[in-house]
Amino acid sequence: DADVTQTPRNRITKTGKRIMLECSQTKGHDRMYWYRQDPGLGLRLIYYSFDVKDINKGEISDGYSVSRQAQAKFSLSLESAIPNQTALYFCATEGGNSNQPQHFGDGTRLSIL
Amino acid sequence: GQNIDQPTEMTATEGAIVQINCTYQTSGFNGLFWYQQHAGEAPTFLSYNVLDGLEEKGRFSSFLSRSKGYSYLLLKELQMKDSASYLCAVRALSNDYKLSFGAGTTVTVRA
């Protein structure tokens, strides 16, 4: 079983719809992240959480919101989707030491029509 | 951002060696990571450097020079399955110890 699970894996929806992407982990990590990846732009941070009561905006948080329901769960919402939010979205987790890498989920491919 | 630069694309022949360079500008450097990402898949961790020098892991090695703000990933004995994007990521105090990612280098291995 995957340590970091994202659902759904693929989603096609229409402009203006509300969408929730979910992420759950079994690694016991406190730190969780949401990124989007666009061709030529690499991974850009949307939101991050260092523990259940901690939520922080990343570099491109406009149009997104998050909820950290438990240590293991971190969901990303698009309140009113727009076409330029079409991208590949990744959730990642990280342990508390600086030498530990981030572990990524398999991604959600989101298309907004 | 942390101004992380890496070449966009590289092509090499099966069995050869390829070196992917990464340069960065940051304050309070706290480590550099290399990830491999196959098309449409999740990035997977390859290597970590925090001190100057070379770290070797089988066919892959990574080098760091903190004074030059420079790292490279060396892939030896290239195989077709090494065709992927390689991401350089830097952790720094200036970014609240979060990772900042380069745009990635797409390596194509040809027979």
Side-chain angles (χ1 to χ4, degrees):
Chain A
D1 288 340
D3 294 323
V4 185
T5 302
Q6 291 184 233
T7 56
R9 292 296 315 280
N10 293 280
R11 178 80 183 271
I12 300 173
T13 192
K14 296 181 179 180
T15 297
K17 294 290 187 180
R18 183 178 188 274
I19 303 156
M20 179 180 286
L21 309 183
E22 301 195 12
C23 177
S24 62
Q25 53 121 342
T26 58
K27 300 189 75 66
H29 288 164
D30 285 327
R31 300 184 177 193
M32 297 187 74
Y33 302 81
W34 274 105
Y35 294 93
R36 65 176 281 175
Q37 188 173 41
D38 300 275
L41 295 179
L43 288 163
R44 292 184 292 166
L45 184 63
I46 306 172
Y47 269 96
Y48 63 102
S49 169
F50 283 173
D51 65 43
V52 175
K53 297 180 181 178
D54 177 73
I55 300 289
N56 302 283
K57 293 183 178 180
E59 57 185 303
I60 54 163
S61 59
D62 287 348
Y64 301 94
S65 62
V66 291
S67 174
R68 184 79 184 267
Q69 300 95 323
Q71 185 201 43
K73 296 183 182 295
F74 192 36
S75 59
L76 175 72
S77 294
L78 288 68
E79 297 301 327
S80 179
I82 56 177
N84 75 2
Q85 291 177 313
T86 292
L88 184 56
Y89 289 83
F90 286 104
C91 173
T93 73
E94 184 182 278
N97 294 325
S98 61
N99 63 346
Q100 294 185 356
Q102 290 186 1
H103 300 267
F104 289 82
D106 287 336
T108 295
R109 186 167 295 280
L110 181 61
S111 296
I112 315 295
L113 303 179
Chain B
Q2 307 300 300
N3 295 322
I4 300 171
D5 292 314
Q6 47 182 134
T8 303
E9 297 181 336
M10 301 183 75
T11 302
T13 304
E14 195 174 16
I17 298 173
V18 69
Q19 177 174 314
I20 306 168
N21 296 324
C22 172
T23 59
Y24 61 89
Q25 293 177 308
T26 192
S27 177
F29 174 82
N30 194 240
L32 186 145
F33 296 81
W34 283 97
Y35 286 82
Q36 181 190 60
Q37 185 180 23
H38 286 100
E41 297 182 9
T44 56
F45 169 69
L46 285 179
S47 69
Y48 169 74
N49 296 74
V50 67
L51 300 177
D52 292 350
L54 189 67
E55 295 285 338
E56 297 187 84
K57 275 188 179 182
R59 294 189 299 114
F60 293 1
S61 303
S62 57
F63 172 83
L64 175 67
S65 169
R66 289 171 295 170
S67 63
K68 295 182 179 178
Y70 168 70
S71 173
Y72 67 72
L73 180 69
L74 195 68
L75 286 62
K76 305 174 191 174
E77 300 170 17
L78 279 172
Q79 302 175 8
M80 300 300 286
K81 67 178 181 180
D82 297 330
S83 292
S85 182
Y86 292 84
L87 311 178
C88 173
V90 174
R91 192 189 300 281
L93 169 62
S94 56
N95 192 28
D96 199 23
Y97 294 112
K98 302 189 302 297
L99 286 184
S100 297
F101 287 84
T105 300
T106 299
V107 172
T108 302
V109 181
R110 294 184 173 168

